[in-house]
Amino acid sequence: MKFVLLFGPQAVGKMTVGQELAKITDLKLLHNHMTIDLLEPFFGFEPEMWKLSTLFREEIFSAFAKSDRYGMIFTYVWTFDQQEDWDFVNRTPARFSRRKARTSALSNWKPSWMKGS
């Protein structure tokens, strides 16, 4: 099994990169909008929505990691100054590596000093 974490700030094309990667591999894409789009109409962008989104994602990861599927791409807005994001990022690949999965982290983050280049 393979697990690819594709991370970066908002609106830099993580989902687009994930979709293209999914097209050329047998990896399934779980992009961060999927859980947000499901929950936001019910809870807005309140703490309960983020809590449920994390729970949904973790349950999906657990079930997927136990399956015989080839692998998954997950897109994530990783806020480096938030400890809970670091904890989530450390926990998530560990679920897959217990299954001897190959895990990778990729970023399409572009530093602000590179704008226009």
Side-chain angles (χ1 to χ4, degrees):
M1 178 173 287
K2 297 176 189 274
F3 178 75
V4 177
L5 173 64
L6 182 56
F7 66 93
Q10 295 174 339
V12 295
K14 295 177 298 298
M15 183 175 73
T16 302
V17 171
Q19 289 169 331
E20 293 303 312
L21 186 57
K23 285 180 187 175
I24 61 171
T25 67
D26 289 329
L27 301 171
K28 301 296 181 189
L29 174 64
L30 174 61
H31 60 79
N32 59 320
H33 297 268
M34 294 169 102
T35 56
I36 294 169
D37 290 347
L38 172 67
L39 297 166
E40 187 275 329
F42 299 100
F43 300 101
F45 289 101
E46 299 295 322
E48 187 67 18
M49 191 276 294
W50 297 111
K51 176 183 170 187
L52 288 170
S53 180
T54 299
L55 288 172
F56 276 35
R57 291 169 179 180
E58 289 180 341
E59 288 298 317
I60 292 167
F61 297 146
S62 291
F64 198 90
K66 292 175 188 171
S67 77
D68 291 330
R69 291 177 173 82
Y70 180 66
M72 175 186 283
I73 303 161
F74 176 60
T75 69
Y76 187 64
V77 176
W78 184 355
T79 310
F80 295 127
D81 63 350
Q82 298 292 317
Q83 184 60 48
E84 64 191 40
D85 282 10
W86 283 92
D87 295 342
F88 180 81
V89 167
N90 285 323
R91 252 189 341 262
T92 301
R95 293 178 187 278
F96 291 88
S97 57
R98 285 185 214 120
R99 295 273 316 218
K100 298 186 177 12
R102 292 183 56 202
T103 60
S104 303
L106 307 169
S107 175
N108 60 344
W109 172 72
K110 187 175 183 181
S112 59
W113 55 265
M114 287 183 68
K115 287 186 178 173
S117 51

